[in-house]
């Protein structure tokens, strides 16, 4: 090697080192401003309850969110990176990483807006207050509400067996829980109108008590006082199941009417 080729080699080596340095500074998890979702709400309404992604995979995409578990086995809530299952009988357990989910939405929670709420405020009033907080209705917002509630009404759903019935049939047998004087955390999302068919347009909340013994899909509540944190989320990543029932669903017919029934 002459002196020129040595210096060219040195430049190439230096360039390679810079590339390695840049690549190694890319965070190991998603952009914090992305909502990560497995499957679609219309697939769930159609009865696609077979888990397609493990809890371990989901945890790589966020630390706050909600969903359900394989076979529609109850309501799932993700708080501070821990995944909980609220079973049909109301029991709350931590979900092992090896379990799977057919539908979940999570994000890395990084709040942009914080508000205090002085009650009494019911769920409808809460939603009206939140509506006025957003810069635009056309973004996703991850919402966390830590508070004291004089009442909380939740539901959970029973695990299903194949052939899976549509969700609108399952919720006819949902259990409804009424809790008084609960301290806990509501977790959920505002999703824009354009996600119809993919997620729940508007609000979708799950809740869990501070002592992790009560929770479920939130139907109503009365807030005495609470701190609301909102994370504006501009990105959306849809992870479609690679195999299974999802691929055979007819998504041509809208399921908006069914969604209205199951969310109540
Ligand atoms: Zn729910």
């Amino acid at each position: 090697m002459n002196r020129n080729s040595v210096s060219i080699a040195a430049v190439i080596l230096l360039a390679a080192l810079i590339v390695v340095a840049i690549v190694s500074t890319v965070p190991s998890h998603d952009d914090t401003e992305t909502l990560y979702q497995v499957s679609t709400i219309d697939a769930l309404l159609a009865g696609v309850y077979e888990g397609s992604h493990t809890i371990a995979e989901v945890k790589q995409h966020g630390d706050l969110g909600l969903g359900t578990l394989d076979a529609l086995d109850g309501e799932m809530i993700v708080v501070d990176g821990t995944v909980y299952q609220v079973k049909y009988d109301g029991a709350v357990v931590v979900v092992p990483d090896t379990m799977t989910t057919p539908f979940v939405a999570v994000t890395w929670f990084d709040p942009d807006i914080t508000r205090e709420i002085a009650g009494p405020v019911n769920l409808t009033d809460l939603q009206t207050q939140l509506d006025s907080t957003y810069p635009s209705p056309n973004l996703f917002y991850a919402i966390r509400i830590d508070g004291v509630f004089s009442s909380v009404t939740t539901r959970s759903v029973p695990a299903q067996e194949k052939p899976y019935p549509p969700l609108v049939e399952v919720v006819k047998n949902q259990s409804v829980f009424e809790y008084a004087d609960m301290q806990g955390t509501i977790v959920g999302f505002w999703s824009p109108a354009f996600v119809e068919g993919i997620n729940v347009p508007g609000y979708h909340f799950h809740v869990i008590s501070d002592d992790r013994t009560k929770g479920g899909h939130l139907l109503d509540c009365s807030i005495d006082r609470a701190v609301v944190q909102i994370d504006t989320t501009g990105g959306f990543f849809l992870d479609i199941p690679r195999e299974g029932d999802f691929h055979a669903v007819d998504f041509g017919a809208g399921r908006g009417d069914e969604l209205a029934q199951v969310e109540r």
Side-chain angles (χ1 to χ4, degrees), residues 112-146:
D112 303 299
I113 302 167
T114 301
R115 289 269 186 287
E116 286 190 19
I117 288 187
V121 170
N122 66 22
L123 187 56
T124 308
D125 297 339
L126 169 72
Q127 293 177 353
T128 305
Q129 287 195 26
L130 291 175
D131 288 346
S132 63
T133 319
Y134 308 136
S136 163
N138 296 333
L139 294 164
F140 291 89
Y141 299 96
I143 302 159
R144 173 179 178 148
I145 303 166
D146 294 281

XYZ file of all heavy atoms in Angstrom, residues 112-146:
278
model
N -47.892 15.307 27.222
C -47.653 16.675 26.746
C -48.509 17.673 27.512
O -48.169 18.846 27.605
C -48.024 16.777 25.252
C -47.259 15.774 24.405
O -46.024 15.855 24.387
O -47.899 14.904 23.786
N -49.667 17.216 28.014
C -50.637 18.102 28.660
C -51.026 17.477 29.998
O -51.264 16.270 30.068
C -51.912 18.241 27.787
C -51.570 18.776 26.388
C -52.960 19.130 28.463
C -52.706 18.643 25.376
N -51.061 18.292 31.057
C -51.527 17.802 32.358
C -52.625 18.745 32.863
O -52.487 19.965 32.774
C -50.365 17.748 33.371
O -49.358 16.881 32.858
C -50.830 17.211 34.714
N -53.723 18.169 33.355
C -54.853 18.956 33.853
C -55.335 18.332 35.160
O -55.327 17.117 35.302
C -56.039 18.895 32.877
C -55.849 19.649 31.593
C -56.353 21.096 31.712
N -56.296 21.784 30.424
C -55.171 22.198 29.836
N -54.003 21.984 30.410
N -55.206 22.828 28.677
N -55.797 19.186 36.068
C -56.439 18.658 37.273
C -57.943 18.776 37.109
O -58.429 19.749 36.540
C -55.954 19.425 38.496
C -54.533 19.022 38.851
C -54.064 19.571 40.192
O -54.913 19.955 41.022
O -52.844 19.615 40.381
N -58.641 17.765 37.607
C -60.096 17.767 37.516
C -60.663 17.753 38.922
O -60.248 16.950 39.752
C -60.596 16.533 36.730
C -60.271 16.712 35.248
C -62.082 16.313 36.938
C -60.865 15.646 34.372
N -61.599 18.678 39.180
C -62.300 18.696 40.458
C -63.728 18.255 40.210
O -64.414 18.810 39.351
C -62.268 20.098 41.063
N -64.149 17.215 40.918
C -65.465 16.625 40.688
C -66.554 17.313 41.457
O -66.298 18.353 42.080
N -67.732 16.716 41.454
C -68.017 15.453 40.766
C -68.136 15.623 39.250
O -68.768 16.560 38.788
C -69.360 15.016 41.366
C -70.017 16.276 41.818
C -68.914 17.221 42.188
N -67.484 14.683 38.538
C -67.503 14.691 37.081
C -67.794 13.265 36.612
O -67.077 12.343 37.002
C -66.126 15.154 36.537
C -66.034 14.944 35.042
C -65.854 16.610 36.877
N -68.839 13.097 35.812
C -69.105 11.752 35.279
C -68.365 11.553 33.947
O -67.680 12.459 33.468
C -70.609 11.473 35.170
C -71.282 12.356 34.133
O -70.634 12.873 33.225
N -72.583 12.544 34.268
N -68.506 10.385 33.361
C -67.718 10.057 32.173
C -68.045 10.989 31.003
O -67.138 11.433 30.285
C -67.957 8.590 31.777
C -67.078 8.028 30.663
C -65.608 8.163 30.968
C -67.430 6.565 30.382
N -69.313 11.314 30.837
C -69.711 12.214 29.741
C -69.094 13.599 29.940
O -68.554 14.183 29.000
C -71.259 12.326 29.676
O -71.791 11.003 29.630
C -71.708 13.085 28.449
N -69.165 14.118 31.196
C -68.572 15.434 31.482
C -67.064 15.406 31.284
O -66.476 16.356 30.761
C -68.849 15.855 32.935
C -70.340 16.016 33.208
O -71.093 16.193 32.236
O -70.723 15.950 34.388
N -66.447 14.293 31.723
C -64.995 14.148 31.568
C -64.623 14.252 30.091
O -63.688 14.968 29.721
C -64.545 12.794 32.126
C -63.109 12.392 31.797
C -62.114 13.236 32.578
C -62.862 10.910 32.063
N -65.375 13.537 29.257
C -65.067 13.520 27.833
C -65.232 14.908 27.221
O -64.429 15.333 26.400
C -65.943 12.475 27.130
C -65.559 11.068 27.585
C -66.420 9.969 26.987
O -67.399 10.238 26.316
N -66.059 8.733 27.232
N -66.257 15.641 27.677
C -66.471 17.011 27.184
C -65.295 17.900 27.586
O -64.809 18.696 26.779
C -67.792 17.574 27.749
O -68.837 16.665 27.424
C -68.098 18.944 27.173
N -64.832 17.725 28.840
C -63.675 18.524 29.294
C -62.432 18.185 28.481
O -61.666 19.067 28.103
C -63.391 18.275 30.777
C -64.409 18.907 31.703
C -63.910 18.965 33.155
O -62.713 18.984 33.410
N -64.848 18.993 34.092
N -62.232 16.890 28.219
C -61.052 16.470 27.458
C -61.106 17.010 26.025
O -60.092 17.437 25.474
C -60.949 14.941 27.432
C -60.621 14.253 28.757
C -60.678 12.744 28.604
C -59.247 14.676 29.255
N -62.322 16.989 25.435
C -62.488 17.448 24.047
C -61.872 18.832 23.831
O -61.302 19.097 22.778
C -63.982 17.533 23.678
C -64.629 16.167 23.511
O -63.894 15.175 23.419
O -65.874 16.110 23.483
N -62.042 19.697 24.843
C -61.602 21.090 24.675
C -60.093 21.242 24.882
O -59.548 22.328 24.713
C -62.355 21.989 25.661
O -62.031 21.592 26.984
N -59.436 20.155 25.258
C -57.999 20.196 25.564
C -57.128 19.965 24.326
O -55.972 20.350 24.306
C -57.663 19.068 26.584
O -58.689 19.008 27.547
C -56.349 19.321 27.268
N -57.711 19.296 23.310
C -56.880 18.850 22.199
C -56.608 19.949 21.185
O -57.505 20.703 20.836
C -57.550 17.688 21.444
C -57.984 16.562 22.327
C -59.220 15.977 22.169
C -57.148 16.094 23.328
C -59.626 14.940 22.977
C -57.558 15.060 24.144
C -58.805 14.489 23.964
O -59.205 13.477 24.772
N -55.383 19.963 20.673
C -55.079 20.874 19.571
C -55.892 20.561 18.308
O -56.197 21.455 17.536
C -53.591 20.663 19.306
C -53.077 19.738 20.334
C -54.222 19.198 21.133
N -56.223 19.285 18.099
C -57.003 18.884 16.917
C -57.661 17.545 17.211
O -57.055 16.691 17.859
C -56.078 18.733 15.710
O -56.727 17.985 14.690
N -58.888 17.312 16.693
C -59.507 15.992 16.878
C -58.914 14.936 15.949
O -59.267 13.764 16.059
C -60.979 16.246 16.536
C -60.962 17.406 15.600
C -59.782 18.254 15.986
N -58.033 15.341 15.072
C -57.548 14.431 14.030
C -56.196 13.798 14.323
O -55.477 13.371 13.421
C -57.531 15.157 12.684
C -58.932 15.547 12.268
O -59.901 14.892 12.656
N -59.050 16.616 11.509
N -55.862 13.751 15.607
C -54.662 13.044 16.064
C -55.118 11.994 17.076
O -56.251 12.033 17.558
C -53.700 14.019 16.745
C -53.078 15.092 15.858
C -52.487 16.200 16.710
C -52.001 14.477 14.974
N -54.207 11.069 17.397
C -54.462 10.140 18.496
C -53.980 10.797 19.789
O -52.961 11.501 19.803
C -53.689 8.836 18.295
C -54.186 8.004 17.148
C -53.680 8.182 15.870
C -55.152 7.025 17.354
C -54.134 7.408 14.805
C -55.614 6.249 16.299
C -55.102 6.442 15.028
N -54.700 10.551 20.881
C -54.249 10.984 22.198
C -54.291 9.796 23.143
O -55.338 9.149 23.271
C -55.134 12.119 22.746
C -55.099 13.341 21.858
C -56.078 13.546 20.897
C -54.058 14.256 21.945
C -56.034 14.633 20.044
C -54.005 15.360 21.096
C -54.992 15.535 20.144
O -54.940 16.617 19.290
N -53.166 9.527 23.780
C -53.138 8.550 24.869
C -53.457 9.319 26.142
O -52.938 10.416 26.357
C -51.770 7.901 24.958
N -54.335 8.748 26.960
C -54.849 9.466 28.129
C -54.672 8.600 29.370
O -54.970 7.397 29.354
C -56.350 9.787 27.933
C -56.543 10.623 26.658
C -56.918 10.520 29.142
C -57.954 10.581 26.102
N -54.158 9.234 30.426
C -54.027 8.559 31.717
C -54.642 9.455 32.781
O -54.276 10.631 32.882
C -52.549 8.297 32.024
C -52.342 7.752 33.427
C -50.899 7.464 33.748
N -50.818 6.988 35.115
C -49.946 6.115 35.567
N -49.010 5.644 34.756
N -49.967 5.727 36.827
N -55.565 8.889 33.558
C -56.257 9.653 34.587
C -56.068 8.937 35.921
O -56.575 7.837 36.121
C -57.759 9.780 34.258
C -57.935 10.436 32.876
C -58.493 10.574 35.335
C -59.332 10.305 32.308
N -55.298 9.564 36.808
C -55.108 9.013 38.156
C -56.025 9.777 39.089
O -55.930 11.007 39.170
C -53.643 9.174 38.583
C -52.714 8.337 37.720
O -52.624 7.124 37.968
O -52.109 8.893 36.776
